[in-house]
Coordinates of all heavy atoms in Angstrom, one line a residue:
E1 N 6.8 48.8 73.0 CA 6.8 47.6 72.1 C 8.0 47.8 71.1 O 8.7 46.9 70.8 CB 5.5 47.5 71.4 CG 4.4 47.0 72.2 CD 3.0 47.0 71.5 OE1 3.0 47.4 70.3 OE2 2.0 46.5 72.1
R2 N 8.1 49.0 70.6 CA 9.2 49.3 69.6 C 10.6 49.2 70.3 O 11.5 48.6 69.7 CB 9.0 50.6 68.9 CG 7.8 50.7 68.1 CD 7.8 51.9 67.2 NE 6.6 52.0 66.4 CZ 6.4 52.8 65.4 NH1 7.4 53.6 65.0 NH2 5.2 52.8 64.7
L3 N 10.7 49.6 71.5 CA 12.0 49.5 72.2 C 12.3 48.1 72.5 O 13.5 47.6 72.4 CB 12.0 50.3 73.5 CG 12.1 51.8 73.4 CD1 12.0 52.5 74.7 CD2 13.5 52.2 72.7
A4 N 11.3 47.3 72.8 CA 11.5 45.9 73.1 C 12.0 45.1 71.9 O 12.9 44.3 71.9 CB 10.2 45.2 73.7
V5 N 11.4 45.4 70.7 CA 11.8 44.8 69.5 C 13.2 45.2 69.1 O 14.0 44.4 68.7 CB 10.8 45.2 68.3 CG1 11.3 44.7 67.0 CG2 9.4 44.6 68.6
W6 N 13.5 46.5 69.3 CA 14.8 47.0 69.0 C 15.9 46.4 69.9 O 17.0 46.0 69.4 CB 14.9 48.5 69.1 CG 16.3 49.1 69.1 CD1 17.0 49.3 67.9 CD2 17.1 49.4 70.2 NE1 18.2 49.8 68.3 CE2 18.3 49.9 69.6 CE3 17.0 49.4 71.5 CZ2 19.4 50.3 70.4 CZ3 18.0 49.8 72.3 CH2 19.2 50.3 71.8
R7 N 15.6 46.3 71.1 CA 16.6 45.6 72.1 C 16.8 44.2 71.7 O 17.9 43.7 71.8 CB 16.0 45.8 73.5 CG 16.1 47.2 74.1 CD 15.3 47.4 75.3 NE 15.5 48.7 75.9 CZ 14.6 49.3 76.7 NH1 13.5 48.6 77.1 NH2 14.8 50.5 77.1
N8 N 15.7 43.5 71.4 CA 15.9 42.0 71.0 C 16.7 41.9 69.8 O 17.6 41.0 69.6 CB 14.5 41.4 70.9 CG 14.7 39.9 70.5 OD1 14.6 39.5 69.4 ND2 14.9 39.1 71.5
R9 N 16.5 42.8 68.8 CA 17.3 42.8 67.5 C 18.7 43.1 67.8 O 19.6 42.4 67.2 CB 16.7 43.8 66.6 CG 17.4 43.7 65.2 CD 16.6 44.6 64.2 NE 16.7 46.0 64.6 CZ 15.6 46.7 64.9 NH1 14.4 46.1 65.0 NH2 15.7 48.0 65.3
E10 N 19.0 44.0 68.7 CA 20.4 44.4 69.0 C 21.1 43.2 69.7 O 22.3 42.9 69.5 CB 20.5 45.6 69.8 CG 20.1 46.9 69.1 CD 21.1 47.2 68.0 OE1 22.3 47.4 68.3 OE2 20.7 47.2 66.8
V11 N 20.4 42.6 70.6 CA 21.0 41.4 71.3 C 21.4 40.3 70.4 O 22.5 39.8 70.4 CB 20.0 40.9 72.4 CG1 20.5 39.6 72.9 CG2 19.9 41.9 73.6
N12 N 20.5 40.0 69.4 CA 20.8 39.0 68.5 C 21.9 39.4 67.5 O 22.5 38.5 66.9 CB 19.5 38.6 67.7 CG 18.6 37.7 68.6 OD1 18.8 36.5 68.6 ND2 17.7 38.3 69.3
R13 N 22.1 40.7 67.3 CA 23.2 41.2 66.5 C 24.5 41.1 67.2 O 25.5 40.8 66.6 CB 22.9 42.6 66.0 CG 24.0 43.2 65.1 CD 23.6 44.6 64.7 NE 23.6 45.5 65.9 CZ 24.7 46.1 66.3 NH1 25.9 45.9 65.7 NH2 24.7 47.0 67.3
L14 N 24.5 41.4 68.4 CA 25.8 41.6 69.2 C 26.3 40.2 69.7 O 27.5 40.1 70.0 CB 25.6 42.5 70.3 CG 25.3 44.0 69.9 CD1 25.0 44.8 71.1 CD2 26.5 44.6 69.2
I15 N 25.4 39.2 69.9 CA 25.8 38.0 70.4 C 25.8 36.9 69.3 O 24.8 36.7 68.6 CB 24.9 37.5 71.6 CG1 25.0 38.5 72.8 CG2 25.2 36.1 72.0 CD1 24.1 38.1 73.9
Q16 N 27.0 36.3 69.1 CA 27.1 35.2 68.1 C 27.3 33.9 68.8 O 28.1 33.8 69.8 CB 28.2 35.5 67.2 CG 28.0 36.8 66.3 CD 29.2 37.0 65.4 OE1 30.2 36.4 65.4 NE2 29.0 38.0 64.4
I17 N 26.7 32.8 68.2 CA 26.8 31.5 68.8 C 27.3 30.6 67.7 O 26.8 30.6 66.6 CB 25.5 31.0 69.4 CG1 25.0 32.0 70.5 CG2 25.6 29.6 70.0 CD1 23.6 31.7 71.0
T18 N 28.3 29.7 68.1 CA 28.7 28.7 67.1 C 28.7 27.4 67.8 O 29.0 27.2 69.0 CB 30.2 29.0 66.7 OG1 31.0 29.0 67.8 CG2 30.3 30.3 66.0
V19 N 28.3 26.4 67.0 CA 28.3 25.0 67.5 C 29.3 24.3 66.5 O 29.0 24.1 65.3 CB 26.9 24.3 67.5 CG1 27.0 22.8 67.9 CG2 26.0 25.1 68.4
N20 N 30.4 23.8 67.0 CA 31.5 23.3 66.2 C 31.9 24.3 65.2 O 32.4 25.4 65.6 CB 31.0 21.9 65.6 CG 30.8 20.9 66.6 OD1 31.4 20.8 67.7 ND2 29.8 20.0 66.4
D21 N 31.7 24.1 63.9 CA 32.1 25.1 62.9 C 30.9 25.9 62.3 O 31.1 26.6 61.3 CB 32.9 24.4 61.8 CG 32.1 23.3 61.1 OD1 31.0 23.0 61.6 OD2 32.6 22.7 60.2
S22 N 29.7 25.8 62.9 CA 28.6 26.5 62.3 C 28.3 27.7 63.2 O 28.1 27.6 64.4 CB 27.4 25.5 62.3 OG 27.6 24.4 61.5
L23 N 28.1 28.8 62.5 CA 27.8 30.1 63.1 C 26.3 30.4 63.0 O 25.8 30.4 61.9 CB 28.6 31.2 62.5 CG 28.3 32.6 62.9 CD1 28.6 32.9 64.4 CD2 29.1 33.6 62.1
Y24 N 25.7 30.8 64.1 CA 24.3 31.2 64.1 C 24.3 32.8 64.1 O 24.6 33.4 65.1 CB 23.6 30.8 65.4 CG 23.3 29.3 65.4 CD1 24.2 28.3 65.7 CD2 22.0 28.9 65.1 CE1 23.9 27.0 65.7 CE2 21.7 27.5 65.1 CZ 22.6 26.6 65.4 OH 22.3 25.3 65.4
Q25 N 24.1 33.3 62.9 CA 24.0 34.8 62.8 C 22.9 35.4 63.6 O 23.0 36.4 64.2 CB 23.9 35.1 61.3 CG 25.1 34.8 60.4 CD 26.3 35.7 60.7 OE1 26.2 36.7 61.5 NE2 27.4 35.5 60.0
Q26 N 21.8 34.7 63.6 CA 20.6 35.2 64.3 C 20.2 34.0 65.2 O 19.4 33.2 64.8 CB 19.5 35.6 63.4 CG 19.7 36.9 62.6 CD 19.8 38.1 63.5 OE1 19.0 38.2 64.5 NE2 20.6 39.0 63.2
P27 N 20.7 33.9 66.4 CA 20.4 32.8 67.3 C 19.0 32.7 67.9 O 18.7 31.7 68.5 CB 21.5 32.9 68.4 CG 21.8 34.4 68.5 CD 21.6 34.9 67.1
G28 N 18.2 33.8 67.7 CA 16.9 33.7 68.2 C 16.8 33.9 69.7 O 15.9 33.2 70.3
L29 N 17.6 34.7 70.3 CA 17.6 34.9 71.7 C 16.4 35.6 72.2 O 16.0 36.6 71.6 CB 18.9 35.6 72.2 CG 20.2 34.9 71.9 CD1 21.4 35.9 72.1 CD2 20.4 33.7 72.9
L30 N 15.8 35.2 73.3 CA 14.7 35.9 73.9 C 15.0 36.2 75.3 O 15.9 35.6 76.0 CB 13.4 34.9 73.9 CG 12.9 34.5 72.5 CD1 11.8 33.5 72.7 CD2 12.6 35.6 71.6
F31 N 14.4 37.3 75.8 CA 14.6 37.7 77.2 C 14.1 36.6 78.2 O 13.0 36.0 77.9 CB 14.0 39.0 77.5 CG 14.4 40.1 76.5 CD1 13.4 40.8 75.8 CD2 15.7 40.5 76.4 CE1 13.8 41.8 74.9 CE2 16.1 41.4 75.5 CZ 15.1 42.1 74.7
S32 N 14.8 36.4 79.3 CA 14.4 35.4 80.2 C 14.9 35.7 81.6 O 15.8 36.5 81.8 CB 15.0 34.0 79.7 OG 14.6 33.0 80.7
Q33 N 14.3 35.0 82.6 CA 14.8 35.1 84.0 C 14.9 33.6 84.5 O 14.0 32.8 84.3 CB 13.8 35.9 84.9 CG 13.9 37.4 84.6 CD 13.0 38.1 85.5 OE1 11.8 37.8 85.8 NE2 13.5 39.2 86.1
L34 N 16.0 33.3 85.1 CA 16.4 31.9 85.4 C 16.5 31.7 86.9 O 17.1 32.5 87.6 CB 17.7 31.5 84.7 CG 18.1 30.1 84.8 CD1 17.2 29.1 84.1 CD2 19.6 29.9 84.3
G35 N 16.0 30.5 87.3 CA 16.3 30.0 88.7 C 15.6 30.8 89.8 O 14.8 31.7 89.6
E36 N 15.9 30.4 91.0 CA 15.3 31.0 92.2 C 15.7 32.5 92.4 O 15.0 33.3 92.9 CB 15.7 30.3 93.5 CG 15.2 28.8 93.5 CD 15.6 28.1 94.7 OE1 16.1 28.8 95.7 OE2 15.4 26.9 94.8
V37 N 16.9 32.9 91.9 CA 17.3 34.3 92.0 C 16.8 35.1 90.9 O 17.1 36.4 90.8 CB 18.9 34.3 92.0 CG1 19.5 33.7 93.2 CG2 19.5 33.7 90.7
Q38 N 16.0 34.5 89.9 CA 15.4 35.3 88.8 C 16.5 36.1 88.1 O 16.4 37.3 87.8 CB 14.3 36.2 89.3 CG 13.1 35.5 89.8 CD 12.3 34.8 88.7 OE1 11.7 35.4 87.9 NE2 12.4 33.4 88.7
Q39 N 17.5 35.4 87.7 CA 18.7 36.0 87.0 C 18.3 36.4 85.6 O 17.7 35.6 84.8 CB 19.8 35.0 86.9 CG 21.1 35.5 86.3 CD 22.2 34.6 86.2 OE1 22.0 33.4 86.6 NE2 23.4 35.0 85.8
R40 N 18.5 37.6 85.2 CA 18.1 38.1 83.9 C 19.2 37.7 82.9 O 20.4 37.7 83.1 CB 18.0 39.7 83.9 CG 16.9 40.2 84.8 CD 16.7 41.6 84.7 NE 15.5 42.1 85.5 CZ 15.0 43.3 85.5 NH1 15.6 44.2 84.7 NH2 14.0 43.6 86.2
G41 N 18.7 37.4 81.7 CA 19.6 36.9 80.6 C 18.8 36.7 79.4 O 17.6 37.1 79.2
F42 N 19.4 35.9 78.5 CA 18.8 35.5 77.2 C 18.8 34.0 77.0 O 19.7 33.4 77.4 CB 19.6 36.2 76.1 CG 20.0 37.6 76.3 CD1 21.3 37.9 76.6 CD2 19.1 38.6 76.3 CE1 21.7 39.2 76.8 CE2 19.5 39.9 76.6 CZ 20.8 40.2 76.9
Q43 N 17.7 33.5 76.5 CA 17.6 32.1 76.3 C 17.1 31.8 74.9 O 16.4 32.5 74.3 CB 16.6 31.5 77.3 CG 16.5 30.0 77.3 CD 15.7 29.5 78.6 OE1 15.7 30.2 79.6 NE2 15.2 28.3 78.4

């Protein structure tokens, strides 16, 4: 549980998202798997 929380915190620290001129410092990314190939990523 602690590793999962740490990993999620690090992902949200290392990845920055901007929409137009607004920066999301903490975009709220969660672990996810997408599509038929179950591609791992963040959503």
Side-chain angles (χ1 to χ4, degrees):
E1 290 177 356
R2 295 195 180 189
L3 284 177
V5 172
W6 171 79
R7 287 166 178 161
N8 182 261
R9 184 173 63 248
E10 289 297 298
V11 166
N12 282 276
R13 178 180 69 87
L14 294 172
I15 295 179
Q16 295 181 351
I17 300 172
T18 60
V19 177
N20 296 328
D21 56 353
S22 295
L23 171 64
Y24 285 79
Q25 293 284 1
Q26 290 293 324
L29 295 166
L30 300 177
F31 305 121
S32 177
Q33 289 183 314
L34 183 69
E36 297 181 9
V37 295
Q38 291 295 288
Q39 182 179 7
R40 294 187 177 187
F42 317 108
Q43 187 166 335

